[in-house]
Amino acid sequence: MNDVARAAGVSLKTVSNVLNDYEFIRPATKQKVLDAIAELGYEANLTARSLRSGKTRMLGLVLSDLSVPYYAELASRLMSIAAGRGYRVLVEQSGAEAAHELSALQGPFRQLTDGLLFTPLALDAGTIAARQGTKPIVMLGEHIADPRFDLVTMKNSEAAASITAHLLAAGRRRIAVLGAAAGDTTDSPGLRLNGYRQALEVAGVEFDPALVVQCEWRRDGGASAVVGLAESGVPFDAVFGLNDAIALGAMHELLIRGIKVPDDVAVAGFDDIDEARFASPSLTTVSPGMEEIAERSIKLLIDRIEGVERAAAGLHVEAGFELKVRDSAP
Amino acid sequence: MNDVARAAGVSLKTVSNVLNDYEFIRPATKQKVLDAIAELGYEANLTARSLRSGKTRMLGLVLSDLSVPYYAELASRLMSIAAGRGYRVLVEQSGAEAAHELSALQGPFRQLTDGLLFTPLALDAGTIAARQGTKPIVMLGEHIADPRFDLVTMKNSEAAASITAHLLAAGRRRIAVLGAAAGDTTDSPGLRLNGYRQALEVAGVEFDPALVVQCEWRRDGGASAVVGLAESGVPFDAVFGLNDAIALGAMHELLIRGIKVPDDVAVAGFDDIDEARFASPSLTTVSPGMEEIAERSIKLLIDRIEGVERAAAGLHVEAGFELKVRDSAP
DNA sequence: CGCACTGTATACAACGTTATAGGGTTGGCG
DNA sequence: CGCCAACCCTATAACGTTGTATACAGTGCG
């Protein structure tokens, strides 16, 4: 910057002012500076700028594992949208472990970013509230639906109810639910299971706990859940995987066992990942509005960072959902 | 740091020395400093450290799109491995566009990172060589196999030959290849196609250009390639998708058309993405050693950054591959 | 014609760290 | 006893920006 100032015959600060679009600069002066910049191929040093300004123009994204398709697609969208507003996204994988989530919240990672998009899976609201620091945080997902935090989420219950209702409308009465968690009802599995139960109730179909299976939210989780169901001998005519990975794994296992989809058993999922469209048969699922989640969470976070959004923390945003009826459950 | 120095009764630089494991510090002094750090909850400012040292301890990863499963899985592994060596990974999506690749190579992104893992898809070797700057770059993939650059890649030809030989050994003679590109032979499609042709030659089976189909490397590319083949009336008894996405899209389309896999047509892919295992039927494919690629590319890049690897640029590393025989082509 | 004002540019300090050079203490050895 | 290393620590000056305070022109106006 010194060289540029000398070449343009102005002071250091004038160059800085030009770069920062300072209001009161004579066009002639500005042009001289811009010429000098172009001639010398000068580029501002972002590190120095960060040190001085205290801002990095980076957003932190904390999720369990980037190789999970839903997170990968979300991260991709978030990065593109953030880029449009002049921010970069720095991803941190927590492996859903409390220690990692904590270090993302408090450690050096936090320092590097102006704000956090946080998908907590292990930490509870109290712990986060106690260590949230001063920079803005926007929660993603539903594990933490706490009035103290800004939150962007999806209509889990409504969407799950909607797809369950679709299965019921097609005449299915024994709908197995795969991917339930133990006990709680405030996170994704809980909310989606609630939606399922509500839809049953509306339709006047009795809830059977034997149809609720706990499993990991992965393809192999869905597959082994079907193994468990088959071995237990519980009859079922539909499977609702609480996410697409579970549903796809389950469908795979059903087909291997010679069970026809959708003739013998209908299969439905949740998330509408790209893969769902191209499965065989294509997977009926519900799209939770990822594009909208990405857009609104980035907007909210940046507005917080830049002081545009001044409402007290605790804004809750719910994106709309859309039923995707395909061949696995017409 | 000033406060810590005062609390410990030492100079600023001594605190810095403790943090940087400087050799000559009395244990007692070191302990005083560490106590003061713990008491005050001090954390070093990474931005200031970067400004002073010129290092950010971040690695840049340039790829086309993080939502592509192969890249998502690769990025996930790279991040974990880099974390083990004290580095973070900052991802930049190029959309396979030359302008974006160029700005990742030269723009602010470069400044933020100590070195680059670069998957160029649009730029040619000459352009990159002219603008590579001074920081280390390790190329990933095979679009740029140039003696001027360090490169970590997979055995494309050998792996493609191996899976083709597997199809041939199972008695297939009309193996369609999906995902070929126009003309060139130095990038992934070209190398894999070469492997295919070599395997045919070894087996004494004649090469038929009518079986080579160009398409996008996505699921829908594979699906529409099958549509094209079917409409053209060219007979075939196997499909080799040059990546798994193509193969899965193709398999989907085959099944929709009532063509049995593997009875009527065997299907094979390339990449061994997680999804391949759980497709119906599960996809025979070849695993290109992603774990090894991730490990060796990170090691090479960091060794360059830290000056450990002093060989002239142009090291080429090829990871091993492994055939994964599954139900789509037993 | 002088005064207040707006517009434009500057000097200086500061952000929090590390590199450099040098200043004390020791202890060993001739 | 004096000298030289080896060891331990410190003062000062950077790294490249931007915030603050201030200086210097021109205007418009009484």
Side-chain angles (χ1 to χ4, degrees):
Chain A
M1 199 150 119
N2 247 316
D3 300 343
V4 172
R6 205 172 310 122
V10 298
S11 79
L12 207 59
K13 184 69 217 254
T14 298
V15 179
S16 169
N17 284 338
V18 168
L19 264 66
N20 292 287
D21 286 323
Y22 179 64
E23 196 178 356
F24 301 120
I25 297 192
R26 233 176 322 198
T29 312
K30 184 167 182 172
Q31 197 52 52
K32 271 193 302 185
V33 172
L34 292 175
D35 290 349
I37 287 175
E39 189 183 348
L40 299 177
Y42 164 82
E43 278 188 20
N45 180 311
L46 298 180
T47 309
R49 182 173 285 175
S50 291
L51 175 59
R52 183 63 239 221
S53 68
K55 304 278 181 183
T56 62
R57 295 196 78 83
M58 289 210 267
L59 309 178
L61 172 61
V62 184
L63 39 74
S64 64
D65 187 337
L66 199 52
S67 66
V68 173
Y70 177 79
Y71 286 133
E73 290 178 24
L74 180 63
S76 173
R77 291 304 305 135
L78 290 171
M79 290 172 68
S80 301
I81 296 166
R85 293 199 53 173
Y87 283 79
R88 291 176 195 288
V89 174
L90 186 60
V91 179
E92 177 87 351
Q93 302 189 107
S94 69
E97 288 172 32
H100 285 151
E101 288 185 357
L102 211 52
S103 76
L105 194 61
Q106 300 193 289
F109 180 72
R110 199 68 194 287
Q111 242 189 60
L112 289 170
T113 52
D114 293 342
L116 226 52
L117 294 170
F118 195 13
T119 310
L121 293 168
L123 295 182
D124 59 281
T127 308
I128 296 176
R131 329 211 175 178
Q132 63 182 307
T134 54
K135 292 180 186 172
I137 301 183
V138 169
M139 301 289 170
L140 292 180
E142 36 288 316
H143 181 58
I144 304 285
D146 189 287
R148 286 171 286 188
F149 306 123
D150 287 339
L151 171 69
V152 176
T153 185
M154 55 185 73
K155 296 187 189 293
N156 279 291
S157 290
E158 293 88 334
S162 164
I163 202 157
T164 306
H166 171 74
L167 293 171
L168 290 164
R172 311 288 171 167
R173 283 298 173 271
R174 303 277 307 163
I175 307 172
V177 183
L178 314 188
D184 50 290
T185 56
T186 62
D187 52 6
S188 313
L191 293 170
R192 293 178 192 177
L193 187 59
N194 267 359
Y196 164 82
R197 295 189 64 161
Q198 283 162 20
L200 289 187
E201 200 171 325
V202 167
V205 174
E206 198 178 352
F207 171 72
D208 180 357
L211 288 169
V212 178
V213 184
Q214 294 183 17
C215 73
E216 296 287 317
W217 280 33
R218 297 190 312 257
R219 293 189 189 86
D220 51 345
S224 52
V226 166
V227 173
L229 270 179
E231 288 178 354
S232 73
V234 176
F236 60 100
D237 57 10
V239 164
F240 173 24
L242 291 185
N243 78 358
D244 282 350
I246 295 173
L248 291 166
M251 189 157 75
H252 178 62
E253 188 63 32
L254 289 170
L255 293 169
I256 283 178
R257 291 170 173 260
I259 300 171
K260 285 181 189 144
V261 176
D263 298 350
D264 300 335
V265 172
V267 176
F270 197 114
D271 276 351
D272 192 28
I273 61 179
D274 192 36
E275 187 182 339
R277 271 196 302 151
F278 294 100
S280 304
S282 58
L283 183 69
T284 291
T285 184
V286 57
S287 165
M290 193 177 72
E291 182 69 22
E292 188 181 352
I293 288 175
E295 275 169 11
R296 298 188 67 176
S297 58
I298 290 279
K299 173 162 169 38
L300 178 53
L301 182 58
I302 294 182
D303 285 352
R304 286 279 186 214
I305 290 170
E306 297 181 347
V308 176
E309 178 58 68
R310 289 148 186 250
L315 296 181
H316 283 205
V317 174
E318 279 193 339
F321 65 91
E322 192 185 348
L323 199 60
K324 302 279 186 180
V325 176
R326 303 210 182 91
D327 298 338
S328 72
Chain B
M1 198 151 118
N2 246 316
D3 299 343
V4 173
R6 205 172 309 123
V10 297
S11 80
L12 208 58
K13 183 67 219 248
T14 298
V15 179
S16 168
N17 284 339
V18 169
L19 264 64
N20 292 286
D21 286 323
Y22 179 64
E23 196 179 356
F24 301 120
I25 296 190
R26 230 179 324 204
T29 313
K30 184 167 182 174
Q31 197 51 53
K32 270 192 303 182
V33 171
L34 292 176
D35 289 350
I37 287 176
E39 190 183 348
L40 299 176
Y42 164 82
E43 279 188 20
N45 180 311
L46 299 180
T47 310
R49 181 172 286 175
S50 291
L51 175 60
R52 181 63 239 215
S53 68
K55 303 277 180 184
T56 62
R57 295 197 79 84
M58 289 211 267
L59 309 179
L61 172 61
V62 184
L63 39 73
S64 63
D65 188 337
L66 200 52
S67 66
V68 174
Y70 177 79
Y71 286 132
E73 291 178 24
L74 180 63
S76 173
R77 290 304 304 134
L78 288 171
M79 290 172 68
S80 301
I81 296 166
R85 293 201 51 174
Y87 283 79
R88 289 175 196 288
V89 174
L90 187 59
V91 179
E92 176 87 351
Q93 302 189 106
S94 69
E97 287 172 33
H100 285 151
E101 288 185 357
L102 212 52
S103 75
L105 194 58
Q106 301 194 289
F109 180 73
R110 199 68 195 286
Q111 244 189 59
L112 290 170
T113 52
D114 293 342
L116 225 54
L117 294 171
F118 195 14
T119 311
L121 293 168
L123 296 183
D124 60 278
T127 308
I128 297 175
R131 329 210 175 180
Q132 61 182 310
T134 54
K135 292 179 187 172
I137 301 182
V138 170
M139 300 290 170
L140 293 179
E142 37 287 317
H143 180 59
I144 305 284
D146 189 288
R148 285 171 288 187
F149 306 124
D150 286 339
L151 171 68
V152 176
T153 185
M154 55 185 72
K155 294 187 190 293
N156 279 290
S157 289
E158 293 88 334
S162 164
I163 202 158
T164 306
H166 171 73
L167 293 171
L168 290 165
R172 311 288 171 168
R173 284 296 172 271
R174 304 277 308 161
I175 307 172
V177 182
L178 313 189
D184 49 291
T185 58
T186 62
D187 51 6
S188 312
L191 293 171
R192 293 178 191 177
L193 188 59
N194 267 358
Y196 164 83
R197 296 189 63 161
Q198 283 163 20
L200 289 187
E201 203 172 321
V202 167
V205 174
E206 199 179 352
F207 171 72
D208 180 357
L211 288 170
V212 178
V213 184
Q214 295 183 17
C215 73
E216 296 288 318
W217 280 32
R218 297 190 312 256
R219 292 190 190 85
D220 53 345
S224 52
V226 166
V227 174
L229 269 179
E231 287 176 355
S232 72
V234 176
F236 60 99
D237 56 11
V239 165
F240 172 25
L242 291 185
N243 77 359
D244 282 350
I246 296 173
L248 291 167
M251 190 157 73
H252 178 62
E253 187 63 33
L254 289 170
L255 293 168
I256 284 178
R257 290 169 173 260
I259 301 171
K260 285 181 189 146
V261 177
D263 299 350
D264 301 335
V265 172
V267 176
F270 196 116
D271 276 352
D272 192 27
I273 60 179
D274 191 36
E275 187 182 337
R277 270 196 303 150
F278 293 99
S280 304
S282 58
L283 183 69
T284 292
T285 186
V286 57
S287 165
M290 193 176 73
E291 182 70 22
E292 189 182 352
I293 288 175
E295 275 169 10
R296 299 189 66 176
S297 57
I298 290 278
K299 172 163 172 35
L300 177 53
L301 183 59
I302 294 182
D303 284 352
R304 286 280 186 212
I305 289 170
E306 298 182 347
V308 177
E309 178 59 69
R310 289 148 187 250
L315 296 181
H316 283 206
V317 174
E318 279 192 340
F321 64 92
E322 192 185 347
L323 199 59
K324 302 280 186 179
V325 177
R326 302 208 182 93
D327 299 339
S328 72

